[in-house]
Amino acid sequence: MFEYPEYQKIELPKKLAKRYPAYELYLYGEGSYAEEHKILPLTGIPVLFLPGNAGSYKQVRSIGSIALRKAEDIDFKYHFDFFSVNFNEELVALYGGSLQKQTKFVHECIKTILKLYKGQEFAPKSVAIIGHSMGGLVARALLTLKNFKQDLINLLITQATPHVAPVMPLDRFITDFYMTVNSYWILNARHINLTTLSVAGGFRDYQVRSGLTFLPKLSHHTSALSVVSSAVPKTWVSTDHLSIVWCKQLQLTTIRAFFDLIDADTKQITQNPKKKLLVLNHHFIRHPAKHFEENPAIISDLTGI
């Protein structure tokens, strides 16, 4: 944080607030940005942060603050609006009865967020989601909802999310939820075009071991990437289960990727799945120590030797 953080509560429709009285939606800001954006509508690129088990909506502050500094460096040519959901710090890793309710609330939040940009010249039609721990699983569960449109999400990044199985399968609600989500993603892999990145904390994460964070790699689902934070270029460190949301090296890498994903024509995150994968590969896997280039020039041609 470089200035005093502020969390602006977004007013939800009365019916929605009555249906989910314990949940809330916030917009993160600090300094002059926070003051300016108290007057809606918004003009940036929406990103939604989902906290995990017993997580706080305030955990968005690290990546939100770094994104603001990056936007300042380019004189706000582009900027991201970071939203965060307050799940009332529910213990969903211990009791899975609230997972379905959280999923449905997030769906409503996405629709509410997009309405905040109504009438803008470059109004977004989708949001990017960052999910920590069980928040990442809730994000994946969105696709299982009956009336959910897949194109409402343009990118999903999960941090220390146990995708494969629950850490502690304490009740049937958790096991059934996992079965529903993973079965849907496997059976419908050909029709899922959502670019997804899973980042594990590595050996310092005693709560969620890295093996649980890897997404199912199917031959016909090439838009899923799984990495460990200690192998991410310019990060090179392992994180524990909580510090993954405020590890500066990792958040800088994430924000650099976000800005490289912007389409100059729409001023929103690109809809080109090939470019998304190229950018994520560049920042999270290979990184040749230079800025991302969509069509890099060939320096030398060794053919015929």
Side-chain angles (χ1 to χ4, degrees), residues 116-159:
L116 299 177
Y117 298 84
K118 193 174 181 180
Q120 297 301 305
E121 183 180 359
F122 298 101
K125 297 179 181 178
S126 57
V127 303
I129 294 182
I130 298 176
H132 172 242
S133 189
M134 295 298 285
L137 186 69
V138 168
R140 287 180 63 219
L142 285 167
L143 274 65
T144 67
L145 296 179
K146 186 177 180 181
N147 299 318
F148 185 79
K149 297 178 181 178
Q150 190 183 143
D151 55 9
L152 287 177
I153 309 176
N154 52 48
L155 177 68
L156 172 59
I157 296 179
T158 66
Q159 299 174 333

mmCIF file of all heavy atoms in Angstrom, residues 116-159:
data_model
loop_
_atom_site.group_PDB
_atom_site.id
_atom_site.type_symbol
_atom_site.label_atom_id
_atom_site.label_comp_id
_atom_site.label_asym_id
_atom_site.label_seq_id
_atom_site.Cartn_x
_atom_site.Cartn_y
_atom_site.Cartn_z
ATOM 1 N N LEU A 116 -22.012 -1.393 -13.696
ATOM 2 C CA LEU A 116 -21.363 -0.155 -13.258
ATOM 3 C C LEU A 116 -20.655 0.565 -14.405
ATOM 4 O O LEU A 116 -20.265 1.720 -14.267
ATOM 5 C CB LEU A 116 -20.349 -0.455 -12.142
ATOM 6 C CG LEU A 116 -20.908 -1.075 -10.855
ATOM 7 C CD1 LEU A 116 -19.778 -1.377 -9.882
ATOM 8 C CD2 LEU A 116 -21.923 -0.141 -10.210
ATOM 9 N N TYR A 117 -20.472 -0.122 -15.524
ATOM 10 C CA TYR A 117 -19.785 0.454 -16.684
ATOM 11 C C TYR A 117 -20.766 0.803 -17.804
ATOM 12 O O TYR A 117 -20.344 1.193 -18.894
ATOM 13 C CB TYR A 117 -18.740 -0.535 -17.219
ATOM 14 C CG TYR A 117 -17.646 -0.854 -16.236
ATOM 15 C CD1 TYR A 117 -17.819 -1.843 -15.271
ATOM 16 C CD2 TYR A 117 -16.434 -0.170 -16.259
ATOM 17 C CE1 TYR A 117 -16.815 -2.140 -14.357
ATOM 18 C CE2 TYR A 117 -15.422 -0.466 -15.360
ATOM 19 C CZ TYR A 117 -15.626 -1.451 -14.407
ATOM 20 O OH TYR A 117 -14.628 -1.729 -13.512
ATOM 21 N N LYS A 118 -22.032 0.655 -17.523
ATOM 22 C CA LYS A 118 -23.049 0.870 -18.548
ATOM 23 C C LYS A 118 -22.970 2.284 -19.117
ATOM 24 O O LYS A 118 -22.855 3.263 -18.393
ATOM 25 C CB LYS A 118 -24.444 0.630 -17.955
ATOM 26 C CG LYS A 118 -25.542 0.509 -18.980
ATOM 27 C CD LYS A 118 -26.857 0.117 -18.317
ATOM 28 C CE LYS A 118 -27.969 -0.040 -19.348
ATOM 29 N NZ LYS A 118 -29.256 -0.422 -18.726
ATOM 30 N N GLY A 119 -22.997 2.379 -20.440
ATOM 31 C CA GLY A 119 -22.963 3.675 -21.102
ATOM 32 C C GLY A 119 -21.577 4.185 -21.424
ATOM 33 O O GLY A 119 -21.433 5.198 -22.114
ATOM 34 N N GLN A 120 -20.533 3.485 -20.966
ATOM 35 C CA GLN A 120 -19.167 3.912 -21.252
ATOM 36 C C GLN A 120 -18.760 3.501 -22.673
ATOM 37 O O GLN A 120 -19.255 2.504 -23.214
ATOM 38 C CB GLN A 120 -18.196 3.300 -20.242
ATOM 39 C CG GLN A 120 -18.437 3.752 -18.812
ATOM 40 C CD GLN A 120 -18.330 5.250 -18.660
ATOM 41 O OE1 GLN A 120 -17.327 5.854 -19.008
ATOM 42 N NE2 GLN A 120 -19.398 5.873 -18.161
ATOM 43 N N GLU A 121 -17.844 4.256 -23.252
ATOM 44 C CA GLU A 121 -17.416 3.995 -24.632
ATOM 45 C C GLU A 121 -16.779 2.618 -24.772
ATOM 46 O O GLU A 121 -17.006 1.903 -25.752
ATOM 47 C CB GLU A 121 -16.428 5.075 -25.085
ATOM 48 C CG GLU A 121 -15.997 4.920 -26.536
ATOM 49 C CD GLU A 121 -15.006 6.001 -26.965
ATOM 50 O OE1 GLU A 121 -14.669 6.877 -26.126
ATOM 51 O OE2 GLU A 121 -14.560 5.955 -28.128
ATOM 52 N N PHE A 122 -15.960 2.250 -23.780
ATOM 53 C CA PHE A 122 -15.288 0.948 -23.830
ATOM 54 C C PHE A 122 -15.765 0.081 -22.665
ATOM 55 O O PHE A 122 -14.967 -0.435 -21.885
ATOM 56 C CB PHE A 122 -13.765 1.131 -23.774
ATOM 57 C CG PHE A 122 -13.209 1.914 -24.930
ATOM 58 C CD1 PHE A 122 -12.879 3.257 -24.786
ATOM 59 C CD2 PHE A 122 -13.041 1.318 -26.168
ATOM 60 C CE1 PHE A 122 -12.371 3.986 -25.856
ATOM 61 C CE2 PHE A 122 -12.533 2.038 -27.245
ATOM 62 C CZ PHE A 122 -12.201 3.379 -27.092
ATOM 63 N N ALA A 123 -17.053 -0.070 -22.559
ATOM 64 C CA ALA A 123 -17.647 -0.844 -21.464
ATOM 65 C C ALA A 123 -17.267 -2.321 -21.579
ATOM 66 O O ALA A 123 -17.377 -2.910 -22.661
ATOM 67 C CB ALA A 123 -19.163 -0.692 -21.473
ATOM 68 N N PRO A 124 -16.820 -2.927 -20.487
ATOM 69 C CA PRO A 124 -16.446 -4.346 -20.528
ATOM 70 C C PRO A 124 -17.668 -5.253 -20.609
ATOM 71 O O PRO A 124 -18.751 -4.910 -20.141
ATOM 72 C CB PRO A 124 -15.709 -4.555 -19.200
ATOM 73 C CG PRO A 124 -16.316 -3.532 -18.291
ATOM 74 C CD PRO A 124 -16.604 -2.336 -19.156
ATOM 75 N N LYS A 125 -17.467 -6.422 -21.201
ATOM 76 C CA LYS A 125 -18.527 -7.422 -21.276
ATOM 77 C C LYS A 125 -18.197 -8.642 -20.421
ATOM 78 O O LYS A 125 -18.976 -9.596 -20.360
ATOM 79 C CB LYS A 125 -18.731 -7.851 -22.727
ATOM 80 C CG LYS A 125 -19.190 -6.712 -23.647
ATOM 81 C CD LYS A 125 -19.346 -7.192 -25.073
ATOM 82 C CE LYS A 125 -19.785 -6.050 -25.983
ATOM 83 N NZ LYS A 125 -19.896 -6.473 -27.403
ATOM 84 N N SER A 126 -17.029 -8.592 -19.772
ATOM 85 C CA SER A 126 -16.601 -9.716 -18.940
ATOM 86 C C SER A 126 -15.645 -9.212 -17.874
ATOM 87 O O SER A 126 -15.173 -8.070 -17.925
ATOM 88 C CB SER A 126 -15.913 -10.784 -19.802
ATOM 89 O OG SER A 126 -14.813 -10.220 -20.501
ATOM 90 N N VAL A 127 -15.343 -10.057 -16.902
ATOM 91 C CA VAL A 127 -14.419 -9.694 -15.828
ATOM 92 C C VAL A 127 -13.316 -10.739 -15.743
ATOM 93 O O VAL A 127 -13.482 -11.886 -16.167
ATOM 94 C CB VAL A 127 -15.140 -9.598 -14.461
ATOM 95 C CG1 VAL A 127 -16.292 -8.609 -14.511
ATOM 96 C CG2 VAL A 127 -15.631 -10.967 -13.999
ATOM 97 N N ALA A 128 -12.182 -10.329 -15.173
ATOM 98 C CA ALA A 128 -11.119 -11.275 -14.832
ATOM 99 C C ALA A 128 -11.304 -11.635 -13.361
ATOM 100 O O ALA A 128 -11.748 -10.798 -12.568
ATOM 101 C CB ALA A 128 -9.756 -10.649 -15.064
ATOM 102 N N ILE A 129 -10.997 -12.856 -12.996
ATOM 103 C CA ILE A 129 -11.173 -13.297 -11.609
ATOM 104 C C ILE A 129 -9.847 -13.805 -11.054
ATOM 105 O O ILE A 129 -9.120 -14.553 -11.714
ATOM 106 C CB ILE A 129 -12.240 -14.401 -11.501
ATOM 107 C CG1 ILE A 129 -13.618 -13.844 -11.861
ATOM 108 C CG2 ILE A 129 -12.265 -14.991 -10.088
ATOM 109 C CD1 ILE A 129 -14.741 -14.875 -11.741
ATOM 110 N N ILE A 130 -9.537 -13.371 -9.832
ATOM 111 C CA ILE A 130 -8.409 -13.915 -9.076
ATOM 112 C C ILE A 130 -9.002 -14.575 -7.838
ATOM 113 O O ILE A 130 -9.683 -13.922 -7.044
ATOM 114 C CB ILE A 130 -7.409 -12.825 -8.665
ATOM 115 C CG1 ILE A 130 -6.808 -12.155 -9.898
ATOM 116 C CG2 ILE A 130 -6.304 -13.413 -7.786
ATOM 117 C CD1 ILE A 130 -5.871 -11.000 -9.577
ATOM 118 N N GLY A 131 -8.790 -15.874 -7.697
ATOM 119 C CA GLY A 131 -9.346 -16.595 -6.561
ATOM 120 C C GLY A 131 -8.261 -17.172 -5.683
ATOM 121 O O GLY A 131 -7.367 -17.869 -6.165
ATOM 122 N N HIS A 132 -8.315 -16.856 -4.388
ATOM 123 C CA HIS A 132 -7.339 -17.421 -3.448
ATOM 124 C C HIS A 132 -7.942 -18.636 -2.750
ATOM 125 O O HIS A 132 -9.081 -18.585 -2.275
ATOM 126 C CB HIS A 132 -6.935 -16.372 -2.404
ATOM 127 C CG HIS A 132 -6.079 -16.948 -1.307
ATOM 128 N ND1 HIS A 132 -6.469 -16.968 0.016
ATOM 129 C CD2 HIS A 132 -4.859 -17.545 -1.341
ATOM 130 C CE1 HIS A 132 -5.526 -17.540 0.744
ATOM 131 N NE2 HIS A 132 -4.536 -17.894 -0.057
ATOM 132 N N SER A 133 -7.196 -19.719 -2.718
ATOM 133 C CA SER A 133 -7.611 -20.926 -2.013
ATOM 134 C C SER A 133 -8.981 -21.398 -2.508
ATOM 135 O O SER A 133 -9.179 -21.586 -3.700
ATOM 136 C CB SER A 133 -7.604 -20.663 -0.500
ATOM 137 O OG SER A 133 -7.810 -21.857 0.227
ATOM 138 N N MET A 134 -9.955 -21.534 -1.604
ATOM 139 C CA MET A 134 -11.276 -22.024 -1.998
ATOM 140 C C MET A 134 -12.005 -21.043 -2.914
ATOM 141 O O MET A 134 -12.943 -21.422 -3.620
ATOM 142 C CB MET A 134 -12.118 -22.317 -0.753
ATOM 143 C CG MET A 134 -11.579 -23.453 0.104
ATOM 144 S SD MET A 134 -11.523 -25.051 -0.738
ATOM 145 C CE MET A 134 -13.261 -25.498 -0.727
ATOM 146 N N GLY A 135 -11.566 -19.788 -2.931
ATOM 147 C CA GLY A 135 -12.150 -18.806 -3.841
ATOM 148 C C GLY A 135 -11.921 -19.189 -5.294
ATOM 149 O O GLY A 135 -12.751 -18.919 -6.167
ATOM 150 N N GLY A 136 -10.790 -19.830 -5.564
ATOM 151 C CA GLY A 136 -10.512 -20.294 -6.922
ATOM 152 C C GLY A 136 -11.440 -21.419 -7.341
ATOM 153 O O GLY A 136 -11.851 -21.513 -8.502
ATOM 154 N N LEU A 137 -11.789 -22.277 -6.382
ATOM 155 C CA LEU A 137 -12.723 -23.367 -6.678
ATOM 156 C C LEU A 137 -14.125 -22.816 -6.932
ATOM 157 O O LEU A 137 -14.834 -23.281 -7.833
ATOM 158 C CB LEU A 137 -12.747 -24.368 -5.522
ATOM 159 C CG LEU A 137 -13.573 -25.628 -5.764
ATOM 160 C CD1 LEU A 137 -12.905 -26.507 -6.826
ATOM 161 C CD2 LEU A 137 -13.779 -26.411 -4.477
ATOM 162 N N VAL A 138 -14.524 -21.811 -6.144
ATOM 163 C CA VAL A 138 -15.825 -21.166 -6.345
ATOM 164 C C VAL A 138 -15.890 -20.555 -7.744
ATOM 165 O O VAL A 138 -16.916 -20.639 -8.432
ATOM 166 C CB VAL A 138 -16.077 -20.089 -5.264
ATOM 167 C CG1 VAL A 138 -17.268 -19.212 -5.620
ATOM 168 C CG2 VAL A 138 -16.295 -20.746 -3.908
ATOM 169 N N ALA A 139 -14.776 -19.961 -8.187
ATOM 170 C CA ALA A 139 -14.739 -19.373 -9.537
ATOM 171 C C ALA A 139 -14.944 -20.440 -10.604
ATOM 172 O O ALA A 139 -15.676 -20.234 -11.579
ATOM 173 C CB ALA A 139 -13.406 -18.648 -9.742
ATOM 174 N N ARG A 140 -14.302 -21.583 -10.440
ATOM 175 C CA ARG A 140 -14.475 -22.674 -11.409
ATOM 176 C C ARG A 140 -15.900 -23.220 -11.370
ATOM 177 O O ARG A 140 -16.436 -23.654 -12.393
ATOM 178 C CB ARG A 140 -13.484 -23.803 -11.124
ATOM 179 C CG ARG A 140 -12.036 -23.482 -11.486
ATOM 180 C CD ARG A 140 -11.135 -24.651 -11.165
ATOM 181 N NE ARG A 140 -11.479 -25.821 -11.946
ATOM 182 C CZ ARG A 140 -11.456 -27.080 -11.458
ATOM 183 N NH1 ARG A 140 -11.130 -27.299 -10.197
ATOM 184 N NH2 ARG A 140 -11.765 -28.089 -12.235
ATOM 185 N N ALA A 141 -16.514 -23.176 -10.193
ATOM 186 C CA ALA A 141 -17.874 -23.700 -10.037
ATOM 187 C C ALA A 141 -18.903 -22.848 -10.761
ATOM 188 O O ALA A 141 -20.014 -23.312 -11.026
ATOM 189 C CB ALA A 141 -18.227 -23.788 -8.549
ATOM 190 N N LEU A 142 -18.543 -21.614 -11.092
ATOM 191 C CA LEU A 142 -19.482 -20.745 -11.805
ATOM 192 C C LEU A 142 -19.966 -21.394 -13.096
ATOM 193 O O LEU A 142 -21.126 -21.255 -13.483
ATOM 194 C CB LEU A 142 -18.809 -19.400 -12.130
ATOM 195 C CG LEU A 142 -18.633 -18.418 -10.968
ATOM 196 C CD1 LEU A 142 -17.694 -17.293 -11.373
ATOM 197 C CD2 LEU A 142 -19.979 -17.852 -10.533
ATOM 198 N N LEU A 143 -19.081 -22.120 -13.757
ATOM 199 C CA LEU A 143 -19.430 -22.720 -15.043
ATOM 200 C C LEU A 143 -20.478 -23.819 -14.902
ATOM 201 O O LEU A 143 -21.107 -24.200 -15.890
ATOM 202 C CB LEU A 143 -18.178 -23.273 -15.724
ATOM 203 C CG LEU A 143 -17.377 -22.270 -16.579
ATOM 204 C CD1 LEU A 143 -16.793 -21.160 -15.718
ATOM 205 C CD2 LEU A 143 -16.257 -22.976 -17.336
ATOM 206 N N THR A 144 -20.656 -24.337 -13.682
ATOM 207 C CA THR A 144 -21.641 -25.400 -13.477
ATOM 208 C C THR A 144 -23.046 -24.852 -13.258
ATOM 209 O O THR A 144 -24.010 -25.629 -13.272
ATOM 210 C CB THR A 144 -21.260 -26.274 -12.264
ATOM 211 O OG1 THR A 144 -21.377 -25.497 -11.053
ATOM 212 C CG2 THR A 144 -19.839 -26.793 -12.390
ATOM 213 N N LEU A 145 -23.175 -23.544 -13.041
ATOM 214 C CA LEU A 145 -24.496 -22.959 -12.819
ATOM 215 C C LEU A 145 -25.320 -23.016 -14.100
ATOM 216 O O LEU A 145 -24.811 -22.788 -15.198
ATOM 217 C CB LEU A 145 -24.361 -21.511 -12.346
ATOM 218 C CG LEU A 145 -23.677 -21.300 -10.986
ATOM 219 C CD1 LEU A 145 -23.599 -19.811 -10.661
ATOM 220 C CD2 LEU A 145 -24.405 -22.040 -9.877
ATOM 221 N N LYS A 146 -26.593 -23.267 -13.950
ATOM 222 C CA LYS A 146 -27.480 -23.491 -15.085
ATOM 223 C C LYS A 146 -27.542 -22.300 -16.034
ATOM 224 O O LYS A 146 -27.489 -22.457 -17.256
ATOM 225 C CB LYS A 146 -28.879 -23.834 -14.570
ATOM 226 C CG LYS A 146 -29.857 -24.232 -15.660
ATOM 227 C CD LYS A 146 -31.196 -24.636 -15.066
ATOM 228 C CE LYS A 146 -32.184 -25.049 -16.154
ATOM 229 N NZ LYS A 146 -33.505 -25.433 -15.599
ATOM 230 N N ASN A 147 -27.660 -21.093 -15.494
ATOM 231 C CA ASN A 147 -27.850 -19.906 -16.336
ATOM 232 C C ASN A 147 -26.583 -19.074 -16.506
ATOM 233 O O ASN A 147 -26.658 -17.920 -16.938
ATOM 234 C CB ASN A 147 -28.960 -19.026 -15.743
ATOM 235 C CG ASN A 147 -30.291 -19.747 -15.689
ATOM 236 O OD1 ASN A 147 -30.662 -20.443 -16.631
ATOM 237 N ND2 ASN A 147 -31.004 -19.600 -14.583
ATOM 238 N N PHE A 148 -25.426 -19.648 -16.173
ATOM 239 C CA PHE A 148 -24.182 -18.880 -16.264
ATOM 240 C C PHE A 148 -23.636 -18.884 -17.690
ATOM 241 O O PHE A 148 -23.580 -19.930 -18.346
ATOM 242 C CB PHE A 148 -23.123 -19.447 -15.322
ATOM 243 C CG PHE A 148 -21.860 -18.622 -15.294
ATOM 244 C CD1 PHE A 148 -21.803 -17.452 -14.561
ATOM 245 C CD2 PHE A 148 -20.744 -19.020 -16.008
ATOM 246 C CE1 PHE A 148 -20.646 -16.692 -14.537
ATOM 247 C CE2 PHE A 148 -19.584 -18.268 -15.988
ATOM 248 C CZ PHE A 148 -19.544 -17.094 -15.243
ATOM 249 N N LYS A 149 -23.257 -17.702 -18.178
ATOM 250 C CA LYS A 149 -22.656 -17.568 -19.503
ATOM 251 C C LYS A 149 -21.143 -17.519 -19.362
ATOM 252 O O LYS A 149 -20.608 -16.645 -18.701
ATOM 253 C CB LYS A 149 -23.175 -16.303 -20.196
ATOM 254 C CG LYS A 149 -24.673 -16.318 -20.457
ATOM 255 C CD LYS A 149 -25.119 -15.027 -21.104
ATOM 256 C CE LYS A 149 -26.627 -15.024 -21.360
ATOM 257 N NZ LYS A 149 -27.078 -13.745 -21.952
ATOM 258 N N GLN A 150 -20.475 -18.452 -20.027
ATOM 259 C CA GLN A 150 -19.029 -18.583 -19.891
ATOM 260 C C GLN A 150 -18.271 -17.319 -20.288
ATOM 261 O O GLN A 150 -17.216 -17.006 -19.720
ATOM 262 C CB GLN A 150 -18.551 -19.767 -20.727
ATOM 263 C CG GLN A 150 -17.113 -20.156 -20.483
ATOM 264 C CD GLN A 150 -16.655 -21.285 -21.376
ATOM 265 O OE1 GLN A 150 -15.528 -21.322 -21.840
ATOM 266 N NE2 GLN A 150 -17.538 -22.242 -21.631
ATOM 267 N N ASP A 151 -18.829 -16.568 -21.244
ATOM 268 C CA ASP A 151 -18.116 -15.379 -21.718
ATOM 269 C C ASP A 151 -18.175 -14.212 -20.736
ATOM 270 O O ASP A 151 -17.673 -13.128 -21.035
ATOM 271 C CB ASP A 151 -18.628 -14.948 -23.092
ATOM 272 C CG ASP A 151 -20.131 -14.723 -23.137
ATOM 273 O OD1 ASP A 151 -20.761 -14.740 -22.050
ATOM 274 O OD2 ASP A 151 -20.678 -14.523 -24.230
ATOM 275 N N LEU A 152 -18.760 -14.404 -19.549
ATOM 276 C CA LEU A 152 -18.728 -13.366 -18.508
ATOM 277 C C LEU A 152 -17.364 -13.307 -17.823
ATOM 278 O O LEU A 152 -17.051 -12.337 -17.125
ATOM 279 C CB LEU A 152 -19.819 -13.623 -17.454
ATOM 280 C CG LEU A 152 -21.267 -13.335 -17.869
ATOM 281 C CD1 LEU A 152 -22.220 -13.700 -16.741
ATOM 282 C CD2 LEU A 152 -21.441 -11.869 -18.255
ATOM 283 N N ILE A 153 -16.550 -14.355 -18.013
ATOM 284 C CA ILE A 153 -15.197 -14.388 -17.448
ATOM 285 C C ILE A 153 -14.200 -14.443 -18.599
ATOM 286 O O ILE A 153 -14.289 -15.307 -19.472
ATOM 287 C CB ILE A 153 -14.976 -15.612 -16.539
ATOM 288 C CG1 ILE A 153 -16.083 -15.734 -15.493
ATOM 289 C CG2 ILE A 153 -13.621 -15.528 -15.842
ATOM 290 C CD1 ILE A 153 -15.970 -16.979 -14.638
ATOM 291 N N ASN A 154 -13.233 -13.543 -18.604
ATOM 292 C CA ASN A 154 -12.232 -13.557 -19.673
ATOM 293 C C ASN A 154 -10.912 -14.194 -19.245
ATOM 294 O O ASN A 154 -10.081 -14.543 -20.077
ATOM 295 C CB ASN A 154 -11.996 -12.138 -20.207
ATOM 296 C CG ASN A 154 -11.677 -11.141 -19.122
ATOM 297 O OD1 ASN A 154 -10.834 -11.391 -18.260
ATOM 298 N ND2 ASN A 154 -12.361 -9.993 -19.132
ATOM 299 N N LEU A 155 -10.712 -14.320 -17.921
ATOM 300 C CA LEU A 155 -9.456 -14.891 -17.414
ATOM 301 C C LEU A 155 -9.665 -15.317 -15.969
ATOM 302 O O LEU A 155 -10.323 -14.615 -15.204
ATOM 303 C CB LEU A 155 -8.325 -13.856 -17.490
ATOM 304 C CG LEU A 155 -6.959 -14.275 -16.933
ATOM 305 C CD1 LEU A 155 -6.336 -15.359 -17.802
ATOM 306 C CD2 LEU A 155 -6.019 -13.071 -16.858
ATOM 307 N N LEU A 156 -9.096 -16.465 -15.607
ATOM 308 C CA LEU A 156 -9.164 -16.935 -14.220
ATOM 309 C C LEU A 156 -7.767 -17.280 -13.731
ATOM 310 O O LEU A 156 -7.074 -18.092 -14.340
ATOM 311 C CB LEU A 156 -10.077 -18.168 -14.123
ATOM 312 C CG LEU A 156 -10.093 -18.899 -12.772
ATOM 313 C CD1 LEU A 156 -10.537 -17.971 -11.647
ATOM 314 C CD2 LEU A 156 -10.976 -20.141 -12.839
ATOM 315 N N ILE A 157 -7.370 -16.639 -12.640
ATOM 316 C CA ILE A 157 -6.095 -16.958 -11.993
ATOM 317 C C ILE A 157 -6.401 -17.418 -10.567
ATOM 318 O O ILE A 157 -7.069 -16.710 -9.811
ATOM 319 C CB ILE A 157 -5.150 -15.739 -11.960
ATOM 320 C CG1 ILE A 157 -4.767 -15.337 -13.392
ATOM 321 C CG2 ILE A 157 -3.892 -16.051 -11.142
ATOM 322 C CD1 ILE A 157 -3.853 -14.125 -13.466
ATOM 323 N N THR A 158 -5.936 -18.601 -10.221
ATOM 324 C CA THR A 158 -6.158 -19.102 -8.869
ATOM 325 C C THR A 158 -4.824 -19.170 -8.129
ATOM 326 O O THR A 158 -3.791 -19.487 -8.727
ATOM 327 C CB THR A 158 -6.814 -20.491 -8.885
ATOM 328 O OG1 THR A 158 -5.912 -21.458 -9.448
ATOM 329 C CG2 THR A 158 -8.103 -20.471 -9.706
ATOM 330 N N GLN A 159 -4.866 -18.890 -6.853
ATOM 331 C CA GLN A 159 -3.660 -18.872 -6.022
ATOM 332 C C GLN A 159 -3.837 -19.857 -4.871
ATOM 333 O O GLN A 159 -4.741 -19.690 -4.045
ATOM 334 C CB GLN A 159 -3.395 -17.462 -5.489
ATOM 335 C CG GLN A 159 -3.173 -16.424 -6.590
ATOM 336 C CD GLN A 159 -3.065 -15.006 -6.056
ATOM 337 O OE1 GLN A 159 -3.603 -14.685 -5.007
ATOM 338 N NE2 GLN A 159 -2.383 -14.145 -6.788
#
